[in-house]
Amino acid sequence: MFVFLSKLIPPLVYPLGLACLLLVAALSFGKSKDRWRWFTVAALIVLFIGGNRWVSNALVRSLEWQYLPEGDIPTAEAIVLLGGGTSAADAPRPMVEVNGAGDRVLYAGKLYKEGRAPLILLSGGNIEWLTGEGSSPADDMAELLVLMGIPREALLLQPNSQNTYEDALYSSQMLKERGITRVILVTSAMHMPRSVALFEKQGIEVIPAPVDFRVTEAGWEQMFHNSFGGILVDLLPNVSNMGAVSSAIKEYIGMLVYALRGWI
């Protein structure tokens, strides 16, 4: 039930979902012109605020820049790679594919080849009612890493988790069974703060290795030195910015809920 609610409720407070709720309210309860106008204006405000680049980059940066890379990644006993960067080999795809967060898989493979750790634990399971049956993200990541030349015997799969809390819980159990308490954690930069807190709560020493940065130093500085036309374009809502805002809100909601449940 928790997994179901965690997938159902958050989209209703993302910019697009909230704007839709306000428009539904305008149609349902806006019998008077004033009430209809207020609901509609509120929906437009949500879309403009949630879809412009300034709000998007500020929210994303507040998460991504908490664990900025500082020099070379030190060695550890294992690399933990969290799922979310692959798409299963469902027809008509000819093979497992990487999505926008596929940098996770590439970076984990790179760190292994650099000798940062002798083992990669791949964490990620299916939510059958949401994605259907098939290979798990852990299996899919393993397939790609083998294509990169990583030995299969260096891969440890954890295919049972359905959210980040379970990633930390089940992965930590497997690590401790092997006497491993220090890991390099690879996931998207925006997802790193919640992930680090969860693994540390399980007694695992974490070396953050974030990838998939949406906000770069150059991109952040460029916003403040833009032309008038560039500033105007940045203020206009678009789908990409709205998606980034939604992802950031998801992380903050996740941290709040996990904290209330005592998981972090």
Side-chain angles (χ1 to χ4, degrees), residues 132-152:
E133 297 182 358
S135 60
S136 69
D139 294 314
D140 293 340
M141 292 188 293
E143 183 176 329
L144 292 177
L145 287 169
V146 169
L147 284 175
M148 293 174 60
I150 309 297
R152 189 168 289 275

Side-chain angles (χ1 to χ4, degrees), residues 2-61:
F2 175 79
V3 173
F4 173 73
L5 292 176
S6 71
K7 302 300 181 183
L8 175 67
I9 296 175
L12 299 178
V13 298
Y14 298 160
L16 182 58
L18 183 56
C20 288
L21 285 179
L22 289 167
L23 290 175
V24 169
L27 293 172
S28 302
F29 307 113
K31 294 181 179 179
S32 70
K33 287 186 177 180
D34 286 343
R35 187 177 298 174
W36 181 89
R37 184 182 299 112
W38 280 113
F39 278 128
T40 304
V41 169
L44 288 173
I45 290 173
V46 168
L47 290 175
F48 270 93
I49 292 178
N52 79 75
R53 188 183 179 203
W54 286 88
V55 172
S56 169
N57 280 4
L59 272 176
V60 171
R61 178 178 179 270

Side-chain angles (χ1 to χ4, degrees), residues 109-180:
K110 177 178 183 293
L111 292 173
Y112 175 86
K113 290 189 172 184
E114 290 176 350
R116 305 297 177 185
L119 175 73
I120 306 178
L121 189 154
L122 311 174
S123 181
N126 282 328
I127 303 175
E128 291 187 4
W129 60 267
L130 186 63
T131 60
E133 297 182 358
S135 60
S136 69
D139 294 314
D140 293 340
M141 292 188 293
E143 183 176 329
L144 292 177
L145 287 169
V146 169
L147 284 175
M148 293 174 60
I150 309 297
R152 189 168 289 275
E153 57 268 22
L155 305 178
L156 181 63
L157 275 63
Q158 188 289 102
N160 300 313
S161 54
Q162 296 187 335
N163 55 38
T164 310
Y165 167 69
E166 292 183 356
D167 279 330
L169 179 64
Y170 300 152
S171 297
S172 297
Q173 290 172 352
M174 295 177 68
L175 292 167
K176 290 175 182 177
E177 288 173 358
R178 290 160 176 76
I180 298 173

